[in-house]
């Protein structure tokens, strides 16, 4: 069932024939991740990128004061990885942790490169995915420098309504770059409106 | 000479034969932009993406208080555009302004789509470019939420030493999301070290 979700996702951008589909399926592996289990920690070699078929993960960094800074959350139908580390094959600088019992499909860097060469359509697939990711990130950068925490919080609630129920206040605060106490204040203020 | 710079850039990631090169060249247009001239303003239709062959540009937004927030600078050998507007063909939300007399190569959205179909290698080229842009943006997001303005300023000086000479303090401050006065204080403090 996990493979179907991946094939659906791929099928939204490119059309694969049977042979190409079989080749993709020959390169992927399924993996179950328990809640609070890590797929990656800083310093690890980042062999894989992951497509989430069930569950929820977060990717984050810890600064020298021990504060966690969340780069992104991922739920079903999303790709997630320490992309800088995966792409440049340098040691990871992020933690990748499951927030719920999670199922992923993983693909190795070398296998992804083989896939690009044998089925160049995947260049298009990942070109479009990276484009979309760039646009979403761009929006986040502009919001971080131009919007208040309250405005950014409201934006997330509106854009990703499913996340609010699945993400703890602590993690939401770490994503917004504010303290949990400040997020509580915001929520009380918004509830009173 | 501008076309050579573009072909060099392309050649770093994919190999084109003569026919493919000729096709690319048939789709591009050269354009000169005067200092302080705009290629794009909010609300405009964003027809093109631009490859800078000479000069320096900035892409920015203006918030409701009139504060400018700079998304990125671009110099020779860089692509620049209001990418969200270009990709989704929705009205621009950014200003794209030349900071120096600038020369660009432009390509239209519909021509870029034709290029992808006729020379699929360009899927690979832009897949890699978008990947790199994603990684750079990711770094900026994590810095914005985890580093002080001083640390981010020092990072930019180190990563893009050429920019410091070409960008005014006002624009550098708008990029960092701080006031010019605060940037002056930082510079004085760093000079005294």
């Amino acid at each position: 069932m996990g493979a179907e979700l991946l094939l659906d996702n791929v099928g939204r951008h490119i059309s694969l024939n049977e042979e190409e589909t079989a080749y993709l399926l020959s390169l992927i592996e399924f993996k179950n991740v328990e809640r609070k289990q890590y797929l990656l920690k800083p310093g690890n070699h980042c062999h894989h990128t992951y497509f989430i078929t069930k569950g929820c993960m977060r990717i984050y960094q810890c600064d020298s004061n021990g504060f966690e800074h969340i780069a992104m959350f991922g739920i079903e139908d999303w790709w997630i990885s320490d992309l800088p580390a995966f792409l440049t094959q340098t040691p990871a600088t992020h933690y990748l942790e499951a927030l719920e019992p999670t199922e992923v499909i993983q693909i190795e860097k070398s296998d992804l490169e083989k896939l690009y060469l044998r089925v160049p359509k995947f260049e298009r697939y990942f070109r479009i995915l990276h484009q979309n990711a760039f646009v979403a990130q761009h929006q986040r950068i502009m919001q971080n420098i131009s919007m208040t925490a309250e405005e950014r919080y409201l934006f997330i609630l509106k854009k990703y309504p499913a996340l609010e129920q699945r993400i703890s206040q602590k993690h939401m605060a770490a994503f917004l770059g504010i303290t949990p106490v400040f997020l509580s204040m915001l929520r009380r203020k918004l509830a009173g409106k």
Side-chain angles (χ1 to χ4, degrees), chain A:
Chain A
M1 210 188 97
E4 273 173 37
L5 196 66
L6 174 61
L7 293 176
D8 275 357
N9 188 298
V10 170
R12 263 174 254 148
H13 303 293
I14 54 173
S15 295
L16 299 182
N17 62 31
E18 264 184 48
E19 191 197 329
E20 291 160 346
T21 303
Y23 186 61
L24 170 64
L25 296 180
S26 76
L27 298 178
I28 61 173
E29 287 177 312
F30 297 86
K31 192 168 186 137
N32 291 327
V33 202
E34 286 171 35
R35 183 168 172 269
K36 296 201 173 181
Q37 191 188 332
Y38 288 86
L39 280 180
L40 206 63
K41 288 188 177 182
N44 289 169
H45 188 98
C46 181
H47 295 281
H48 301 96
T49 184
Y50 304 96
F51 179 79
I52 302 173
T53 57
K54 188 183 160 201
C56 180
M57 304 196 77
R58 66 172 178 142
I59 185 154
Y60 69 96
Q61 284 184 325
C62 235
D63 69 22
S64 51
N65 297 314
F67 288 112
E68 294 176 359
H69 302 282
I70 296 181
M72 68 178 278
F73 300 105
I75 54 172
E76 300 84 8
D77 208 31
W78 292 22
W79 287 90
I80 198 165
S81 183
D82 183 339
L83 210 57
F86 177 73
L87 293 174
T88 59
Q89 292 289 287
T90 49
T93 56
H94 294 75
Y95 295 87
L96 179 53
E97 183 196 18
L99 298 175
E100 301 173 1
T102 297
E103 295 172 17
V104 298
I105 287 175
Q106 64 182 29
I107 185 163
E108 259 194 41
K109 179 73 162 62
S110 58
D111 286 333
L112 184 58
E113 294 298 334
K114 280 186 218 161
L115 185 64
Y116 284 138
L117 296 179
R118 182 139 151 204
V119 190
K121 287 174 198 171
F122 277 95
E123 299 279 7
R124 181 178 181 86
Y125 173 67
F126 282 104
R127 192 260 301 165
I128 293 170
L129 259 58
H130 286 309
Q131 261 182 207
N132 294 345
F134 180 92
V135 168
Q137 270 193 333
H138 177 90
Q139 212 167 24
R140 187 164 172 212
I141 289 177
M142 297 313 282
Q143 290 179 349
N144 276 347
I145 57 179
S146 70
M147 281 165 65
T148 64
E150 179 176 339
E151 287 167 333
R152 286 183 282 127
Y153 178 55
L154 287 171
F155 176 85
I156 288 167
L157 294 188
K158 197 174 159 192
K159 186 163 181 193
Y160 307 106
L163 273 188
E164 169 73 355
Q165 307 302 320
R166 296 170 73 170
I167 305 286
S168 70
Q169 283 210 46
K170 185 183 140 200
H171 291 153
M172 182 61 82
F175 180 77
L176 292 167
I178 60 178
T179 64
V181 174
F182 188 57
L183 179 58
S184 285
M185 281 170 51
L186 276 186
R187 286 166 64 110
R188 275 201 301 277
K189 182 183 155 195
L190 292 169
K193 267 188 180 169

